Amino acid sequence: MKNIQKITVQSFIILVVSSILGIIFNILNPAGIEINPKHLQKQQYVSIHPIVKQKKEAIGLSQKVVKQIIKSQTSGSTSKVDLPSQNIKQVFSESTISIEHIDLAKAKELFDKKEAIFLDARPEFRYLEGHIKGSLSLSASMFPKQYEEVKDKIKKNSIIITYCSGVDCNLSDIVANKLKGLGYTNIKIFKGGWQLWNEAGYAVETGKNY
Amino acid sequence: MQKVSKNLIFICRIVIGSLFVISSIDKIIDPNHFKIIVSEYGILPDKIIPIFVIILPWIQFICGLMLMLNLYQESNALIIVCLLVMFIITFGINIIRGNTSACGCFDLLGFNEKIGVIVIIRNIFMIFIVLPLLFNKKKE
């Protein structure tokens, strides 16, 4: 009995110490995650913030300019912020602020004109249950593997639209940024996602047809 | 017989300890990727996922490391058994739901494996390897 108690207490201490180490590491880690994310738009703010913080320190940006950039991104507007110099523009072109968010109407317009390739960022099993007609599955969690399957179907200069389940889902942002890192230049994010598209009664299909 | 038993315990410690350390490293380095995977499991509420994603890899890392260093063997073995049971339950629920998203088990080794029966069987096998460590009392 005493031994069981001893083991239990030791286990508890190990768990507490490990948890504290994890939290400290996360705080110190520039790529750490927010423990208490608020609304999705604010989460986007948080995801940009580490980049902004690093870049700001590197190039001496003023607080005012940094706030302007973050505000333009979180408001979902595509209007450009007047950046002070070419060097800063170059630095921030690497961040998330250049990916356009589009609404249902725009997504439908591009779908009807067959001008865009739709990529479903949800897990594959969700894609198989139902997806925008003609879209390809490229989930955030299985990105490396699935990208190998679809890369021949998405050219670097194609209009690419990523989507996931709905407004509160940020998987589409994650996939869009991964594609941007691979050199894709014309990426848009359809924030309304599967939920809005399906509710609107637009073309959908099930299974994997490619 | 005692020597065989000692060697067996040593091998069990090293195997399980190293597997847990390896499994944790990728999650520590890239917590955002692990967060995506945990979100896709669809079990934890959204508010709990961030703290879970931050803490779990460190529990894996510390327990794995301490096990390899032969520190507090029984306590670490107990934690590891509990983690493995939790993983089995999580994967089992997702398999029943038809969720075959990423497992997030050993991404550092480039496996990118999906949730499946094989993953569950592997975890059950690991529990059998850990159990001798839990019941093997060190002589004082």
CSV table of all heavy atoms in Angstrom, one decimal, chain A residues 30 45 48-70 83-85 87-95:
chain,number,residue,atom,x,y,z
A,30,PRO,N,9.4,31.0,-30.1
A,30,PRO,CA,8.7,31.9,-31.0
A,30,PRO,C,7.6,31.3,-31.8
A,30,PRO,O,6.7,31.9,-32.2
A,30,PRO,CB,9.9,32.4,-31.9
A,30,PRO,CG,11.1,31.9,-31.4
A,30,PRO,CD,10.8,30.8,-30.4
A,45,TYR,N,-4.2,36.8,-35.7
A,45,TYR,CA,-3.4,37.9,-35.1
A,45,TYR,C,-2.2,37.2,-34.4
A,45,TYR,O,-1.1,37.6,-34.6
A,45,TYR,CB,-4.2,38.7,-34.2
A,45,TYR,CG,-3.4,39.7,-33.3
A,45,TYR,CD1,-3.0,40.9,-33.8
A,45,TYR,CD2,-2.9,39.3,-32.1
A,45,TYR,CE1,-2.3,41.8,-33.0
A,45,TYR,CE2,-2.2,40.1,-31.3
A,45,TYR,CZ,-1.9,41.3,-31.7
A,45,TYR,OH,-1.1,42.2,-31.0
A,48,ILE,N,0.3,35.6,-36.7
A,48,ILE,CA,1.2,36.5,-37.4
A,48,ILE,C,2.2,37.1,-36.4
A,48,ILE,O,3.3,37.4,-36.7
A,48,ILE,CB,0.4,37.7,-38.0
A,48,ILE,CG1,-0.6,37.1,-39.1
A,48,ILE,CG2,1.3,38.7,-38.6
A,48,ILE,CD1,-1.6,38.1,-39.4
A,49,HIS,N,1.8,37.3,-35.2
A,49,HIS,CA,2.5,38.0,-34.2
A,49,HIS,C,4.0,37.6,-34.0
A,49,HIS,O,4.9,38.4,-34.0
A,49,HIS,CB,1.8,38.1,-32.8
A,49,HIS,CG,2.3,39.1,-31.9
A,49,HIS,ND1,3.1,38.8,-30.8
A,49,HIS,CD2,2.3,40.4,-32.0
A,49,HIS,CE1,3.4,39.9,-30.2
A,49,HIS,NE2,2.9,40.9,-30.9
A,50,PRO,N,4.2,36.2,-33.9
A,50,PRO,CA,5.6,35.8,-33.8
A,50,PRO,C,6.5,36.2,-34.9
A,50,PRO,O,7.6,36.6,-34.8
A,50,PRO,CB,5.5,34.3,-33.7
A,50,PRO,CG,4.1,34.0,-33.2
A,50,PRO,CD,3.3,35.1,-33.8
A,51,ILE,N,5.9,36.2,-36.2
A,51,ILE,CA,6.6,36.6,-37.3
A,51,ILE,C,6.9,38.1,-37.3
A,51,ILE,O,8.0,38.5,-37.5
A,51,ILE,CB,5.8,36.3,-38.6
A,51,ILE,CG1,5.5,34.8,-38.8
A,51,ILE,CG2,6.6,36.8,-39.9
A,51,ILE,CD1,4.5,34.5,-39.8
A,52,VAL,N,5.9,38.8,-36.9
A,52,VAL,CA,6.0,40.3,-36.8
A,52,VAL,C,7.0,40.6,-35.8
A,52,VAL,O,7.9,41.5,-36.0
A,52,VAL,CB,4.7,40.9,-36.5
A,52,VAL,CG1,4.8,42.4,-36.2
A,52,VAL,CG2,3.7,40.7,-37.7
A,53,LYS,N,7.0,39.9,-34.7
A,53,LYS,CA,7.9,40.3,-33.6
A,53,LYS,C,9.4,40.1,-34.0
A,53,LYS,O,10.2,40.9,-33.8
A,53,LYS,CB,7.6,39.4,-32.4
A,53,LYS,CG,8.2,39.8,-31.1
A,53,LYS,CD,7.8,38.9,-29.9
A,53,LYS,CE,8.7,39.1,-28.7
A,53,LYS,NZ,8.5,38.2,-27.7
A,54,GLN,N,9.6,38.9,-34.7
A,54,GLN,CA,11.0,38.7,-35.1
A,54,GLN,C,11.4,39.7,-36.2
A,54,GLN,O,12.5,40.2,-36.1
A,54,GLN,CB,11.0,37.3,-35.8
A,54,GLN,CG,11.0,36.2,-34.7
A,54,GLN,CD,10.8,34.8,-35.4
A,54,GLN,OE1,10.9,34.7,-36.6
A,54,GLN,NE2,10.4,33.8,-34.6
A,55,LYS,N,10.5,39.9,-37.2
A,55,LYS,CA,10.9,40.8,-38.2
A,55,LYS,C,11.0,42.2,-37.7
A,55,LYS,O,11.9,43.0,-38.1
A,55,LYS,CB,9.8,40.8,-39.3
A,55,LYS,CG,9.5,39.5,-39.9
A,55,LYS,CD,10.7,38.9,-40.6
A,55,LYS,CE,10.3,37.5,-41.3
A,55,LYS,NZ,11.5,36.8,-41.7
A,56,LYS,N,10.2,42.6,-36.8
A,56,LYS,CA,10.2,43.9,-36.2
A,56,LYS,C,11.6,44.2,-35.6
A,56,LYS,O,12.2,45.2,-35.7
A,56,LYS,CB,9.1,44.1,-35.2
A,56,LYS,CG,9.0,45.4,-34.6
A,56,LYS,CD,8.0,45.4,-33.4
A,56,LYS,CE,8.5,46.3,-32.3
A,56,LYS,NZ,7.7,46.1,-31.0
A,57,GLU,N,12.0,43.2,-34.8
A,57,GLU,CA,13.3,43.3,-34.1
A,57,GLU,C,14.4,43.4,-35.2
A,57,GLU,O,15.4,44.1,-35.0
A,57,GLU,CB,13.5,42.1,-33.2
A,57,GLU,CG,12.8,42.2,-31.9
A,57,GLU,CD,12.5,40.9,-31.2
A,57,GLU,OE1,13.1,39.9,-31.7
A,57,GLU,OE2,11.8,40.9,-30.3
A,58,ALA,N,14.3,42.7,-36.3
A,58,ALA,CA,15.3,42.6,-37.3
A,58,ALA,C,15.4,43.9,-38.0
A,58,ALA,O,16.5,44.4,-38.4
A,58,ALA,CB,15.1,41.5,-38.2
A,59,ILE,N,14.3,44.5,-38.3
A,59,ILE,CA,14.3,45.7,-39.2
A,59,ILE,C,13.9,47.0,-38.5
A,59,ILE,O,13.8,48.0,-39.1
A,59,ILE,CB,13.5,45.5,-40.4
A,59,ILE,CG1,12.0,45.2,-40.0
A,59,ILE,CG2,14.0,44.3,-41.2
A,59,ILE,CD1,11.1,44.9,-41.2
A,60,GLY,N,13.6,47.0,-37.2
A,60,GLY,CA,13.4,48.2,-36.5
A,60,GLY,C,12.1,48.9,-36.9
A,60,GLY,O,12.0,50.1,-37.0
A,61,LEU,N,11.0,48.1,-37.1
A,61,LEU,CA,9.7,48.7,-37.5
A,61,LEU,C,9.1,49.4,-36.3
A,61,LEU,O,9.3,49.0,-35.2
A,61,LEU,CB,8.8,47.6,-37.9
A,61,LEU,CG,8.7,47.2,-39.3
A,61,LEU,CD1,7.5,46.3,-39.5
A,61,LEU,CD2,8.4,48.4,-40.2
A,62,SER,N,8.4,50.5,-36.6
A,62,SER,CA,7.7,51.2,-35.5
A,62,SER,C,6.5,50.4,-35.1
A,62,SER,O,5.9,49.6,-35.9
A,62,SER,CB,7.3,52.6,-35.9
A,62,SER,OG,6.3,52.5,-36.9
A,63,GLN,N,6.1,50.6,-33.8
A,63,GLN,CA,4.9,49.9,-33.3
A,63,GLN,C,3.7,50.2,-34.1
A,63,GLN,O,2.8,49.4,-34.4
A,63,GLN,CB,4.6,50.4,-31.8
A,63,GLN,CG,5.4,49.7,-30.8
A,63,GLN,CD,4.8,48.3,-30.5
A,63,GLN,OE1,3.8,47.9,-31.0
A,63,GLN,NE2,5.5,47.6,-29.6
A,64,LYS,N,3.6,51.5,-34.6
A,64,LYS,CA,2.4,52.0,-35.4
A,64,LYS,C,2.3,51.2,-36.6
A,64,LYS,O,1.2,50.7,-37.0
A,64,LYS,CB,2.6,53.5,-35.7
A,64,LYS,CG,1.4,54.1,-36.2
A,64,LYS,CD,1.6,55.6,-36.5
A,64,LYS,CE,0.4,56.2,-37.2
A,64,LYS,NZ,0.7,57.5,-37.7
A,65,VAL,N,3.4,51.0,-37.4
A,65,VAL,CA,3.3,50.2,-38.6
A,65,VAL,C,2.9,48.8,-38.3
A,65,VAL,O,2.1,48.2,-39.1
A,65,VAL,CB,4.7,50.3,-39.4
A,65,VAL,CG1,4.7,49.4,-40.6
A,65,VAL,CG2,4.9,51.7,-39.8
A,66,VAL,N,3.5,48.2,-37.3
A,66,VAL,CA,3.2,46.8,-37.0
A,66,VAL,C,1.7,46.7,-36.7
A,66,VAL,O,1.0,45.7,-37.2
A,66,VAL,CB,4.0,46.4,-35.8
A,66,VAL,CG1,3.5,45.0,-35.2
A,66,VAL,CG2,5.5,46.2,-36.1
A,67,LYS,N,1.1,47.6,-35.9
A,67,LYS,CA,-0.3,47.5,-35.6
A,67,LYS,C,-1.1,47.7,-36.8
A,67,LYS,O,-2.2,47.0,-37.0
A,67,LYS,CB,-0.6,48.6,-34.6
A,67,LYS,CG,-0.2,48.2,-33.1
A,67,LYS,CD,-0.6,49.3,-32.1
A,67,LYS,CE,-0.1,49.0,-30.8
A,67,LYS,NZ,-0.3,50.1,-29.8
A,68,GLN,N,-0.7,48.5,-37.7
A,68,GLN,CA,-1.5,48.7,-39.0
A,68,GLN,C,-1.6,47.5,-39.8
A,68,GLN,O,-2.6,47.1,-40.3
A,68,GLN,CB,-0.7,49.8,-39.9
A,68,GLN,CG,-1.3,51.2,-39.8
A,68,GLN,CD,-0.6,52.1,-40.8
A,68,GLN,OE1,0.6,52.2,-40.8
A,68,GLN,NE2,-1.4,52.6,-41.7
A,69,ILE,N,-0.4,46.8,-39.9
A,69,ILE,CA,-0.4,45.5,-40.7
A,69,ILE,C,-1.3,44.5,-40.0
A,69,ILE,O,-2.0,43.8,-40.7
A,69,ILE,CB,1.1,45.0,-40.8
A,69,ILE,CG1,1.9,46.0,-41.6
A,69,ILE,CG2,1.1,43.6,-41.4
A,69,ILE,CD1,3.4,45.8,-41.4
A,70,ILE,N,-1.1,44.3,-38.7
A,70,ILE,CA,-1.9,43.3,-38.0
A,70,ILE,C,-3.4,43.6,-38.1
A,70,ILE,O,-4.2,42.7,-38.4
A,70,ILE,CB,-1.5,43.2,-36.6
A,70,ILE,CG1,-0.1,42.6,-36.5
A,70,ILE,CG2,-2.5,42.3,-35.8
A,70,ILE,CD1,0.5,42.7,-35.1
A,83,LEU,N,3.8,50.6,-46.5
A,83,LEU,CA,5.0,50.2,-45.7
A,83,LEU,C,6.1,51.2,-46.1
A,83,LEU,O,6.2,51.6,-47.2
A,83,LEU,CB,5.4,48.8,-46.1
A,83,LEU,CG,4.4,47.7,-45.6
A,83,LEU,CD1,4.8,46.4,-46.2
A,83,LEU,CD2,4.4,47.6,-44.1
A,84,PRO,N,6.9,51.5,-45.1
A,84,PRO,CA,7.9,52.6,-45.3
A,84,PRO,C,9.0,52.3,-46.3
A,84,PRO,O,9.5,53.2,-46.9
A,84,PRO,CB,8.5,52.8,-43.9
A,84,PRO,CG,8.1,51.6,-43.1
A,84,PRO,CD,6.9,51.0,-43.8
A,85,SER,N,9.4,51.1,-46.5
A,85,SER,CA,10.5,50.9,-47.4
A,85,SER,C,10.4,49.6,-48.2
A,85,SER,O,9.7,48.7,-47.8
A,85,SER,CB,11.9,50.9,-46.7
A,85,SER,OG,12.0,49.7,-46.0
A,87,ASN,N,12.6,47.2,-48.4
A,87,ASN,CA,13.1,46.1,-47.6
A,87,ASN,C,12.0,45.5,-46.8
A,87,ASN,O,11.9,44.3,-46.7
A,87,ASN,CB,14.3,46.5,-46.7
A,87,ASN,CG,15.5,46.7,-47.5
A,87,ASN,OD1,15.6,46.2,-48.6
A,87,ASN,ND2,16.5,47.4,-46.9
A,88,ILE,N,11.2,46.3,-46.2
A,88,ILE,CA,10.2,45.9,-45.3
A,88,ILE,C,9.1,45.2,-46.1
A,88,ILE,O,8.6,44.1,-45.7
A,88,ILE,CB,9.6,47.0,-44.5
A,88,ILE,CG1,10.6,47.6,-43.6
A,88,ILE,CG2,8.4,46.6,-43.7
A,88,ILE,CD1,10.2,48.9,-43.0
A,89,LYS,N,8.8,45.7,-47.3
A,89,LYS,CA,7.8,45.1,-48.2
A,89,LYS,C,8.3,43.6,-48.5
A,89,LYS,O,7.5,42.7,-48.5
A,89,LYS,CB,7.7,45.8,-49.5
A,89,LYS,CG,6.8,47.1,-49.4
A,89,LYS,CD,6.7,47.8,-50.7
A,89,LYS,CE,6.0,49.1,-50.5
A,89,LYS,NZ,6.1,49.9,-51.7
A,90,GLN,N,9.5,43.5,-48.8
A,90,GLN,CA,10.1,42.2,-49.1
A,90,GLN,C,10.0,41.3,-48.0
A,90,GLN,O,9.6,40.1,-48.1
A,90,GLN,CB,11.6,42.4,-49.5
A,90,GLN,CG,12.2,41.2,-50.2
A,90,GLN,CD,13.6,41.4,-50.5
A,90,GLN,OE1,14.1,42.5,-50.3
A,90,GLN,NE2,14.3,40.4,-51.0
A,91,VAL,N,10.3,41.8,-46.8
A,91,VAL,CA,10.2,41.0,-45.6
A,91,VAL,C,8.8,40.5,-45.3
A,91,VAL,O,8.5,39.3,-45.1
A,91,VAL,CB,10.7,41.8,-44.4
A,91,VAL,CG1,10.2,41.2,-43.1
A,91,VAL,CG2,12.2,41.8,-44.3
A,92,PHE,N,7.8,41.4,-45.5
A,92,PHE,CA,6.5,41.0,-45.1
A,92,PHE,C,5.8,40.3,-46.3
A,92,PHE,O,4.7,39.7,-46.1
A,92,PHE,CB,5.6,42.3,-44.8
A,92,PHE,CG,5.8,42.6,-43.3
A,92,PHE,CD1,6.7,43.5,-42.9
A,92,PHE,CD2,5.1,41.9,-42.4
A,92,PHE,CE1,6.9,43.8,-41.6
A,92,PHE,CE2,5.3,42.2,-41.0
A,92,PHE,CZ,6.2,43.1,-40.6
A,93,SER,N,6.4,40.2,-47.4
A,93,SER,CA,5.8,39.4,-48.5
A,93,SER,C,5.9,37.9,-48.1
A,93,SER,O,5.2,37.1,-48.6
A,93,SER,CB,6.5,39.7,-49.8
A,93,SER,OG,7.8,39.2,-49.8
A,94,GLU,N,6.8,37.7,-47.2
A,94,GLU,CA,7.0,36.3,-46.8
A,94,GLU,C,6.0,35.9,-45.7
A,94,GLU,O,5.8,34.8,-45.3
A,94,GLU,CB,8.4,36.1,-46.2
A,94,GLU,CG,9.5,36.3,-47.2
A,94,GLU,CD,10.8,36.5,-46.5
A,94,GLU,OE1,10.9,36.3,-45.3
A,94,GLU,OE2,11.8,36.7,-47.2
A,95,SER,N,5.3,36.9,-45.1
A,95,SER,CA,4.3,36.6,-44.1
A,95,SER,C,3.0,36.2,-44.6
A,95,SER,O,2.8,36.0,-45.8
A,95,SER,CB,4.2,37.8,-43.1
A,95,SER,OG,3.3,38.7,-43.8
